[in-house]
Amino acid sequence: MQQWFMLTVVGKDQPGIVARVTTRLFDGGCNLGEASMARLGGNFTIMLMAQYDGSIDALRRLLAPDVAALNLHLHIDGIDGHLHAHVVPDTRISVFGADRAGIVAQVTTALAGAGFNVLDLESDVAGTERQPIYVMHIEGCAARGVDALEQALEKVRREGVEVRLVPIDTMIG
Amino acid sequence: MSLLDVVTYPDPRLTQKAIAVAQFDDELRAFVRDLEATMRGGPPSVGIAAPQVGRSLRIAIVDVSVKPNIAHHGRLVLINPEILHAEGSVVGREGCLSVPDYTGNVMRAGRVEVTALDEYGSEMIYAFEGFEARAVQHEIDHLNGLLFLDRLVSRRNDLFRRKVYK
Ligand SMILES: [Zn+2]
């Protein structure tokens, strides 16, 4: 039984990182699972699941030439991996406002308190350096319903953050 | 009445244009009953099309009445359906019995006018909107050999943002 690993790769963004790393993994006998890449503050970041017969050290040695050539940081964890286990989100939450410390913590704490389970979160700081705007999108499951979320978010709204809840009605056909 | 096996991607029967129904007989109605039983007997779904059980026939069934608070026409048997008119575009999340364990965002017309025959060969004209319009378009796609995978839009948010502000 092949073991699943979670690889986290961070570095300065440059063309061809994904192609180079995934080709190396494929040639080294890895089977790739799910992956998520994002460019955060100009930095390249990717997390990817890889199934591999060897050890963490062997995997690290496999990628060593690319890590050195592209000046990447690589982190590897052995994980209990499962494919075909997607949870379908039922609520999407958009948050935006003038950027200030603590928005993410406030919003996510309010959501957690109302039984919300975050499945996907991404946020950006937009606007200008003088007037930064914070924009966040979250998808997840409202275990206790949307009304509980609306109530929990009232306090956050009173502090000047726009929060919008949109139900995600997935059509299966 | 029996449950039929649902074929899943990449089965080539899902990517073929299905053939128009010509005979409105008991055999057709028996198949429609089996198709409906398959839709209701499997994982929760609001529509099914004949190619999803491996039959190249232009037959779809849609029933979105389980969803609360939406406009709908109840149980629909759509045979040889044609979209007469489509307007608006809305992004929404879709999944498919033939594509297990994946959902994605797809752009669909918000309103569609459709003509179709029922299982007795009577011509019907429907005006669908919202969730029901999405289901009907998804099923008609199946009859044309298309899956929602063919129409995926980015997971990023600008489309949603536009929809919220409209
Ligand atoms: Zn489908």
Side-chain angles (χ1 to χ4, degrees):
Chain A
M1 187 49 144
Q2 288 199 333
Q3 161 76 34
W4 279 105
F5 296 92
M6 185 67 75
L7 281 68
T8 309
V9 182
V10 178
K12 187 169 169 295
D13 195 21
Q14 50 200 305
I17 303 179
V18 179
R20 189 158 170 172
V21 169
T22 54
T23 301
R24 182 76 68 184
L25 291 169
F26 174 71
D27 291 343
C30 288
N31 171 38
L32 296 187
E34 297 174 0
S36 175
M37 187 221 125
R39 197 171 183 273
L40 302 176
N43 295 282
F44 169 88
T45 68
I46 192 167
M47 298 189 74
L48 53 97
M49 288 171 70
Q51 211 173 22
Y52 183 58
D53 256 338
S55 64
I56 288 185
D57 283 342
L59 202 46
R60 197 182 300 284
R61 278 196 299 277
L62 175 68
L63 286 169
D66 309 298
V67 166
L70 300 170
N71 196 19
L72 303 171
H73 298 278
L74 168 68
H75 181 84
I76 306 176
D77 292 297
I79 56 163
D80 182 17
H82 295 284
L83 295 179
H84 315 295
H86 289 114
V87 177
V88 179
D90 60 21
T91 311
R92 178 176 188 83
I93 297 159
S94 299
V95 179
F96 60 94
D99 190 28
R100 60 171 170 73
I103 297 183
V104 187
Q106 259 182 330
V107 172
T108 53
T109 302
L111 293 175
F116 188 78
N117 180 26
V118 175
L119 295 171
D120 201 84
L121 180 153
E122 55 196 6
S123 73
D124 287 286
V125 180
T128 61
E129 225 157 275
R130 271 168 45 107
Q131 284 193 304
I133 307 164
Y134 187 80
V135 185
M136 176 163 65
H137 290 279
I138 302 174
E139 288 183 0
C141 292
R144 273 183 254 148
V146 170
D147 289 346
L149 293 185
E150 289 284 8
Q151 262 178 17
L153 290 168
E154 261 324 297
K155 187 164 168 282
V156 182
R157 287 195 176 110
R158 278 199 299 272
E159 289 168 26
V161 180
E162 292 283 342
V163 185
R164 294 183 187 186
L165 266 69
V166 184
I168 303 175
D169 249 337
T170 302
M171 196 293 298
I172 311 281
Chain B
M1 202 165 56
S2 52
L3 295 192
L4 309 168
D5 288 334
V6 173
V7 299
T8 55
Y9 185 81
D11 190 300
R13 287 171 290 183
L14 291 168
T15 53
Q16 285 161 8
K17 195 171 156 75
I19 295 161
V21 173
Q23 298 255 66
F24 292 80
D25 52 13
D26 288 345
E27 194 186 323
L28 171 74
R29 287 182 283 275
F31 172 67
V32 166
R33 276 197 300 278
D34 288 348
L35 189 62
E36 183 174 355
T38 305
M39 175 184 94
R40 300 194 191 279
S45 80
V46 296
I48 193 167
Q52 290 182 278
V53 295
R55 292 285 296 273
S56 181
L57 288 170
R58 301 187 76 75
I59 304 171
I61 297 174
V62 169
D63 186 350
V64 301
S65 61
V66 292
K67 295 277 170 185
N69 309 321
I70 59 164
H72 66 78
H73 292 78
R75 169 190 178 272
L76 290 160
V77 176
L78 305 170
I79 300 179
N80 303 343
E82 298 290 340
I83 294 177
L84 301 172
H85 180 73
E87 64 179 56
S89 57
V90 186
V91 173
R93 187 85 124 229
E94 295 185 21
C96 181
L97 294 173
S98 299
V99 186
D101 194 45
Y102 189 78
T103 62
N105 293 328
V106 178
M107 181 105 73
R108 299 283 186 192
R111 293 164 185 273
V112 286
E113 201 176 283
V114 171
T115 176
L117 304 171
D118 67 13
E119 64 263 61
Y120 298 94
S122 305
E123 187 171 351
M124 314 288 278
I125 293 183
Y126 301 99
F128 298 119
E129 60 175 62
F131 193 83
E132 190 177 45
R134 174 171 299 278
V136 168
Q137 290 170 80
H138 179 113
E139 301 313 330
I140 291 177
D141 265 359
H142 277 302
L143 307 182
N144 293 325
L146 291 172
L147 296 170
F148 79 103
L149 298 176
D150 292 299
R151 297 190 186 272
L152 287 178
V153 296
S154 162
R155 210 168 58 98
R156 292 293 289 189
N157 310 297
D158 48 352
L159 293 162
F160 273 96
R161 229 174 284 169
R162 227 173 289 157
K163 184 187 153 198
V164 170
Y165 283 129
K166 235 173 212 171

